[in-house]
Coordinates of all heavy atoms in Angstrom, one line a residue:
N21 N 150.4 165.4 24.2 CA 150.4 164.0 23.7 C 149.4 163.2 24.6 O 149.6 163.1 25.8 CB 151.8 163.4 23.7 CG 151.9 162.0 23.2 OD1 150.9 161.5 22.6 ND2 153.0 161.4 23.5
T22 N 148.4 162.7 24.0 CA 147.4 161.9 24.8 C 147.6 160.4 24.5 O 147.4 159.9 23.4 CB 146.0 162.3 24.5 OG1 145.7 162.1 23.1 CG2 145.7 163.7 24.9
A23 N 148.0 159.7 25.5 CA 148.2 158.2 25.3 C 146.9 157.5 25.7 O 146.2 157.9 26.6 CB 149.4 157.7 26.2
D24 N 146.6 156.5 24.9 CA 145.5 155.7 25.2 C 145.7 154.9 26.5 O 146.8 154.4 26.7 CB 145.2 154.7 24.1 CG 144.7 155.4 22.8 OD1 144.1 156.5 22.9 OD2 145.0 154.8 21.7
P25 N 144.6 154.8 27.3 CA 144.8 154.1 28.6 C 145.0 152.6 28.2 O 144.6 152.1 27.2 CB 143.5 154.3 29.3 CG 142.5 154.7 28.3 CD 143.3 155.4 27.2
P26 N 145.7 151.8 29.1 CA 145.9 150.4 28.9 C 144.6 149.7 28.8 O 143.6 150.0 29.5 CB 146.7 149.9 30.0 CG 146.7 151.0 31.1 CD 146.3 152.3 30.4
V27 N 144.5 148.7 27.9 CA 143.3 147.9 27.7 C 143.4 146.7 28.6 O 144.3 146.0 28.6 CB 143.2 147.5 26.2 CG1 142.0 146.6 26.1 CG2 143.1 148.7 25.3
A28 N 142.3 146.5 29.4 CA 142.2 145.4 30.3 C 142.0 144.1 29.5 O 141.2 144.1 28.6 CB 141.1 145.5 31.3
V29 N 142.8 143.1 29.8 CA 142.7 141.8 29.1 C 142.2 140.8 30.0 O 142.7 140.6 31.1 CB 144.1 141.4 28.5 CG1 144.0 140.0 27.9 CG2 144.7 142.4 27.6
E30 N 141.1 140.1 29.6 CA 140.5 139.1 30.4 C 141.4 137.8 30.4 O 142.0 137.4 29.4 CB 139.1 138.7 29.7 CG 138.3 137.8 30.5 CD 136.9 137.6 29.8 OE1 136.9 137.5 28.6 OE2 136.0 137.5 30.6
T31 N 141.6 137.3 31.6 CA 142.4 136.1 31.8 C 141.6 135.0 32.5 O 140.5 135.2 33.0 CB 143.7 136.4 32.6 OG1 143.2 136.7 34.0 CG2 144.4 137.6 32.1
L32 N 142.2 133.8 32.5 CA 141.6 132.7 33.2 C 141.3 133.0 34.7 O 140.4 132.5 35.3 CB 142.4 131.4 33.1 CG 142.4 130.8 31.7 CD1 143.3 129.6 31.6 CD2 141.0 130.4 31.2
D33 N 142.1 133.9 35.3 CA 142.0 134.3 36.7 C 140.6 135.0 36.9 O 140.1 135.1 38.0 CB 143.1 135.2 37.1 CG 144.4 134.4 37.3 OD1 144.4 133.2 37.5 OD2 145.5 135.1 37.2
D34 N 140.1 135.6 35.8 CA 138.8 136.3 35.8 C 137.6 135.4 35.8 O 136.5 135.8 36.0 CB 138.7 137.3 34.7 CG 139.8 138.4 34.7 OD1 140.1 138.8 35.8 OD2 140.3 138.7 33.7
V35 N 137.8 134.1 35.4 CA 136.7 133.2 35.2 C 136.4 132.5 36.6 O 137.3 131.9 37.2 CB 137.1 132.1 34.2 CG1 136.0 131.1 34.0 CG2 137.4 132.8 32.8
P36 N 135.2 132.5 37.0 CA 134.8 131.8 38.3 C 135.2 130.3 38.2 O 135.1 129.7 37.1 CB 133.3 132.0 38.4 CG 133.0 133.2 37.6 CD 134.0 133.2 36.4
E37 N 135.6 129.7 39.3 CA 136.0 128.3 39.4 C 134.9 127.4 38.9 O 135.2 126.4 38.2 CB 136.5 128.0 40.8 CG 137.0 126.6 41.0 CD 138.3 126.3 40.1 OE1 139.1 127.2 39.9 OE2 138.4 125.2 39.7
H38 N 133.7 127.7 39.2 CA 132.6 126.7 38.8 C 132.4 126.7 37.3 O 132.0 125.7 36.8 CB 131.3 127.1 39.5 CG 130.6 128.3 39.0 ND1 130.9 129.6 39.5 CD2 129.7 128.5 38.0 CE1 130.2 130.5 38.8 NE2 129.4 129.8 37.9
V39 N 132.8 127.8 36.7 CA 132.7 127.8 35.2 C 133.8 126.9 34.6 O 133.6 126.1 33.7 CB 132.9 129.2 34.6 CG1 133.0 129.2 33.1 CG2 131.7 130.1 35.1
L40 N 135.0 127.0 35.1 CA 136.1 126.2 34.7 C 135.8 124.7 34.9 O 136.1 123.8 34.1 CB 137.4 126.6 35.3 CG 137.9 128.0 35.0 CD1 139.2 128.3 35.8 CD2 138.2 128.1 33.5
R41 N 135.3 124.4 36.1 CA 134.9 123.0 36.4 C 133.8 122.4 35.5 O 133.8 121.2 35.3 CB 134.5 122.9 37.9 CG 135.6 122.9 38.9 CD 135.2 122.4 40.3 NE 133.9 123.0 40.7 CZ 133.8 124.2 41.4 NH1 134.9 124.8 41.8 NH2 132.6 124.6 41.8
G42 N 132.9 123.3 35.1 CA 131.8 122.9 34.3 C 132.0 122.8 32.8 O 131.1 122.4 32.1
L43 N 133.2 123.1 32.3 CA 133.5 123.0 30.9 C 133.5 121.6 30.4 O 134.0 120.7 31.1 CB 134.8 123.7 30.6 CG 134.9 125.2 30.6 CD1 136.4 125.6 30.4 CD2 134.0 125.8 29.6
P44 N 132.8 121.3 29.3 CA 132.9 119.9 28.8 C 134.3 119.6 28.5 O 135.2 120.4 28.3 CB 132.1 120.1 27.5 CG 131.2 121.2 27.7 CD 132.0 122.2 28.5
E45 N 134.6 118.3 28.4 CA 135.9 117.7 28.3 C 136.7 118.3 27.1 O 137.9 118.6 27.2 CB 135.8 116.2 28.2 CG 137.2 115.5 28.0 CD 137.0 114.0 28.0 OE1 136.1 113.5 28.7 OE2 137.7 113.4 27.2
D46 N 136.0 118.5 26.0 CA 136.7 118.9 24.8 C 136.6 120.4 24.5 O 136.7 120.9 23.3 CB 136.2 118.1 23.6 CG 136.5 116.7 23.8 OD1 137.6 116.3 24.1 OD2 135.6 115.8 23.5
V47 N 136.3 121.2 25.5 CA 136.1 122.7 25.4 C 137.1 123.4 26.3 O 137.3 123.0 27.4 CB 134.7 123.1 25.7 CG1 134.5 124.6 25.7 CG2 133.7 122.4 24.8
R48 N 137.8 124.4 25.7 CA 138.8 125.2 26.4 C 138.5 126.7 26.3 O 137.9 127.1 25.3 CB 140.2 124.9 25.9 CG 140.6 123.4 25.9 CD 140.9 122.9 27.4 NE 141.4 121.6 27.4 CZ 140.6 120.5 27.5 NH1 139.3 120.7 27.7 NH2 141.1 119.3 27.5
L49 N 139.1 127.4 27.2 CA 139.0 128.9 27.1 C 140.4 129.4 26.7 O 141.4 129.1 27.3 CB 138.6 129.5 28.4 CG 137.2 129.2 28.9 CD1 137.0 129.8 30.3 CD2 136.1 129.6 28.0
F50 N 140.4 130.1 25.6 CA 141.7 130.7 25.1 C 141.3 132.1 24.6 O 140.2 132.5 24.5 CB 142.2 129.9 23.9 CG 142.8 128.6 24.3 CD1 142.2 127.4 23.7 CD2 143.9 128.4 25.1 CE1 142.6 126.2 24.1 CE2 144.4 127.1 25.4 CZ 143.7 126.0 24.9
P51 N 142.4 133.0 24.3 CA 142.0 134.3 23.8 C 141.1 134.2 22.6 O 141.3 133.3 21.7 CB 143.4 134.8 23.4 CG 144.4 134.2 24.4 CD 143.8 132.8 24.5
S52 N 140.2 135.1 22.5 CA 139.2 135.1 21.5 C 139.8 135.5 20.1 O 140.7 136.3 20.0 CB 138.1 136.2 21.8 OG 137.3 136.4 20.7
A53 N 139.3 134.8 19.1 CA 139.8 135.2 17.7 C 139.1 136.5 17.2 O 139.5 137.1 16.3 CB 139.4 134.1 16.7
V54 N 138.0 136.9 17.9 CA 137.3 138.1 17.5 C 137.7 139.3 18.3 O 137.9 140.4 17.7 CB 135.7 137.8 17.8 CG1 134.9 139.1 17.5 CG2 135.2 136.6 17.0
D55 N 138.0 139.2 19.6 CA 138.4 140.3 20.4 C 139.6 139.8 21.3 O 139.3 139.0 22.3 CB 137.2 140.8 21.3 CG 137.6 141.9 22.2 OD1 138.8 142.2 22.4 OD2 136.6 142.5 22.8
K56 N 140.8 140.1 21.0 CA 142.0 139.6 21.7 C 142.0 140.0 23.2 O 142.8 139.5 23.9 CB 143.3 140.1 21.0 CG 143.4 139.7 19.6 CD 143.5 138.2 19.5 CE 143.8 137.7 18.1 NZ 143.5 136.3 17.9
T57 N 141.2 140.9 23.6 CA 141.1 141.3 25.0 C 140.2 140.4 25.8 O 140.1 140.5 27.0 CB 140.7 142.8 25.2 OG1 139.3 142.9 24.8 CG2 141.6 143.7 24.4
R58 N 139.5 139.5 25.2 CA 138.5 138.7 25.8 C 138.9 137.2 25.6 O 139.6 136.9 24.7 CB 137.1 138.9 25.2 CG 136.6 140.3 25.3 CD 136.3 140.8 26.7 NE 135.5 139.9 27.4 CZ 134.1 140.0 27.5 NH1 133.5 140.9 26.9 NH2 133.5 139.2 28.3
L59 N 138.3 136.4 26.5 CA 138.5 134.9 26.3 C 137.4 134.4 25.4 O 136.3 134.9 25.3 CB 138.4 134.2 27.6 CG 139.5 134.5 28.6 CD1 139.2 133.8 29.9 CD2 140.8 134.0 28.0
G60 N 137.7 133.4 24.6 CA 136.8 132.7 23.7 C 136.7 131.3 24.1 O 137.5 130.7 24.7
V61 N 135.6 130.6 23.6 CA 135.4 129.2 23.8 C 135.9 128.5 22.6 O 135.4 128.8 21.5 CB 133.9 128.9 24.1 CG1 133.7 127.4 24.4 CG2 133.5 129.7 25.3
W62 N 136.8 127.5 22.8 CA 137.3 126.8 21.7 C 137.1 125.3 21.9 O 137.2 124.8 23.0 CB 138.8 127.0 21.6 CG 139.2 128.4 21.3 CD1 139.2 129.5 22.1 CD2 139.5 129.0 20.0 NE1 139.6 130.6 21.5 CE2 139.8 130.3 20.2 CE3 139.6 128.4 18.7 CZ2 140.1 131.2 19.1 CZ3 140.0 129.2 17.7 CH2 140.3 130.6 17.9
A63 N 136.8 124.5 20.8 CA 136.7 123.1 20.9 C 138.0 122.5 20.5 O 138.6 122.9 19.5 CB 135.6 122.6 20.0
T64 N 138.4 121.4 21.2 CA 139.7 120.7 20.8 C 139.4 119.6 19.8 O 140.4 119.1 19.3 CB 140.3 120.1 22.1 OG1 139.4 119.2 22.7 CG2 140.7 121.2 23.1
K65 N 138.2 119.3 19.6 CA 137.8 118.4 18.5 C 136.4 118.7 18.0 O 135.7 119.5 18.7 CB 137.9 116.9 18.9 CG 136.9 116.5 19.9 CD 137.1 115.0 20.3 CE 136.0 114.5 21.1 NZ 136.1 113.1 21.4
S66 N 136.0 118.2 16.9 CA 134.7 118.5 16.4 C 133.6 118.1 17.4 O 133.7 117.1 18.0 CB 134.4 117.8 15.1 OG 135.3 118.3 14.1
I67 N 132.5 118.9 17.4 CA 131.4 118.7 18.3 C 130.2 118.4 17.4 O 129.9 119.2 16.5 CB 131.1 119.9 19.2 CG1 132.3 120.1 20.1 CG2 129.8 119.6 20.0 CD1 132.2 121.4 20.9
L68 N 129.6 117.2 17.6 CA 128.5 116.9 16.7 C 127.3 117.8 16.9 O 127.0 118.3 18.0 CB 128.0 115.4 17.0 CG 129.0 114.3 16.8 CD1 128.5 113.0 17.3 CD2 129.4 114.3 15.3
K69 N 126.6 118.1 15.8 CA 125.4 118.9 15.8 C 124.4 118.3 16.7 O 124.2 117.1 16.7 CB 124.9 119.0 14.4 CG 123.7 119.9 14.3 CD 123.2 120.0 12.8 CE 122.0 120.9 12.7 NZ 121.5 121.1 11.3
G70 N 123.8 119.1 17.6 CA 122.8 118.7 18.5 C 123.4 118.2 19.9 O 122.6 117.8 20.8
K71 N 124.7 118.2 20.0 CA 125.3 117.7 21.3 C 124.9 118.7 22.4 O 124.8 119.9 22.2 CB 126.9 117.8 21.1 CG 127.6 117.5 22.4 CD 127.7 116.1 22.7 CE 128.6 115.8 23.9 NZ 128.5 114.5 24.3
K72 N 124.5 118.1 23.5 CA 124.0 118.9 24.6 C 125.1 118.8 25.8 O 125.7 117.8 26.0 CB 122.7 118.4 25.1 CG 121.6 118.6 24.1 CD 120.3 118.2 24.6 CE 119.3 118.4 23.4 NZ 117.9 118.4 23.9
F73 N 125.2 120.0 26.4 CA 126.1 120.1 27.5 C 125.3 120.5 28.8 O 124.3 121.2 28.7 CB 127.2 121.2 27.3 CG 128.0 120.9 26.0 CD1 127.8 121.6 24.9 CD2 129.1 120.0 26.1 CE1 128.5 121.4 23.8 CE2 129.8 119.8 24.9 CZ 129.6 120.5 23.8
G74 N 125.8 120.1 29.9 CA 125.1 120.5 31.1 C 125.5 119.7 32.3 O 126.4 118.9 32.2
P75 N 125.0 120.0 33.4 CA 123.9 121.0 33.6 C 124.5 122.4 33.7 O 125.7 122.6 33.9 CB 123.4 120.6 35.0 CG 124.6 120.0 35.7 CD 125.4 119.3 34.6
F76 N 123.6 123.3 33.4 CA 124.0 124.7 33.4 C 124.2 125.2 34.8 O 123.3 124.9 35.7 CB 123.0 125.6 32.7 CG 123.3 127.1 32.8 CD1 124.2 127.6 31.9 CD2 122.6 127.9 33.7 CE1 124.5 129.0 32.0 CE2 122.9 129.2 33.8 CZ 123.9 129.8 33.0
V77 N 125.3 125.8 35.2 CA 125.5 126.3 36.5 C 125.8 127.8 36.4 O 126.7 128.2 35.6 CB 126.7 125.6 37.2 CG1 127.0 126.2 38.6 CG2 126.5 124.1 37.3
G78 N 125.1 128.6 37.1 CA 125.4 130.1 37.1 C 124.1 130.8 36.8 O 123.0 130.3 36.9
D79 N 124.3 132.1 36.5 CA 123.1 133.0 36.2 C 122.9 133.1 34.7 O 123.9 133.4 34.0 CB 123.4 134.3 36.8 CG 123.6 134.3 38.4 OD1 122.8 133.5 39.0 OD2 124.4 135.0 38.9
K80 N 121.7 132.9 34.3 CA 121.4 133.1 32.9 C 121.3 134.6 32.6 O 120.7 135.3 33.4 CB 120.1 132.4 32.5 CG 120.2 130.9 32.5 CD 119.0 130.2 32.0 CE 119.2 128.7 32.0 NZ 118.0 128.0 31.3
K81 N 121.8 135.0 31.5 CA 121.8 136.4 31.2 C 121.2 136.6 29.8 O 121.3 135.7 28.9 CB 123.3 137.0 31.1 CG 124.1 136.8 32.3 CD 123.7 137.8 33.4 CE 124.6 137.7 34.6 NZ 124.2 138.5 35.6
K82 N 120.6 137.7 29.6 CA 120.1 138.1 28.3 C 121.2 138.5 27.4 O 122.3 139.0 28.0 CB 119.0 139.2 28.4 CG 117.8 138.9 29.1 CD 116.9 140.1 29.2 CE 115.6 139.7 30.0 NZ 114.7 140.8 30.2
R83 N 121.1 138.4 26.1 CA 122.2 138.7 25.2 C 122.6 140.2 25.5 O 123.8 140.5 25.4 CB 121.7 138.5 23.8 CG 122.9 138.8 22.8 CD 122.4 138.6 21.3 NE 122.0 137.2 21.1 CZ 122.9 136.2 20.7 NH1 124.1 136.5 20.5 NH2 122.4 135.0 20.5
S84 N 121.7 141.1 25.8 CA 122.0 142.5 26.0 C 122.8 142.7 27.3 O 123.4 143.8 27.5 CB 120.7 143.3 26.0 OG 119.9 142.9 27.1
Q85 N 122.9 141.7 28.1 CA 123.6 141.8 29.4 C 125.1 141.3 29.4 O 125.8 141.5 30.3 CB 122.9 141.1 30.5 CG 121.5 141.6 30.8 CD 120.8 140.8 31.9 OE1 120.5 139.6 31.6 NE2 120.5 141.3 33.0
V86 N 125.4 140.7 28.2 CA 126.8 140.2 28.2 C 127.6 140.9 27.2 O 127.1 141.6 26.3 CB 126.8 138.6 27.9 CG1 126.1 137.9 29.0 CG2 126.1 138.4 26.6

C-alpha cells in the first residue's frame, strides 16, 4: 500500500512581512480558488480598471520563475 505523501499547504506564515505590509487596503490573501494548497489574492471590493498599486517591494520574477 503506497500512501501519497502529505501535501504542503501555503499559509500566511510563509509570506514575508514586507509583502503583507505592502498589500493595498482592499486586498487580502486567502486560500486560492484555483489551487487549495496555495494562497490567492482576493479583493474585498471592486477594483476599478486601471487602478495602480505600489510601490513594488521585492524581487521581480519572470512568469516561468513563479
Side-chain angles (χ1 to χ4, degrees):
N21 183 14
T22 58
D24 292 330
V27 175
V29 176
E30 189 175 38
T31 69
L32 289 177
D33 291 334
D34 300 319
V35 178
E37 183 62 33
H38 73 274
V39 172
L40 296 175
R41 282 194 314 267
L43 287 175
E45 182 178 321
D46 298 315
V47 173
R48 303 287 183 267
L49 298 178
F50 291 116
S52 170
V54 177
D55 179 349
K56 298 296 184 196
T57 67
R58 303 293 309 267
L59 292 175
V61 180
W62 295 82
T64 59
K65 67 179 189 179
S66 294
I67 299 172
L68 296 175
K69 183 178 180 178
K71 174 78 174 171
K72 295 187 181 193
F73 301 102
F76 176 79
V77 177
D79 299 322
K80 291 187 178 185
K81 303 283 185 185
K82 294 179 182 176
R83 185 178 297 269
S84 62
Q85 294 175 298
V86 295

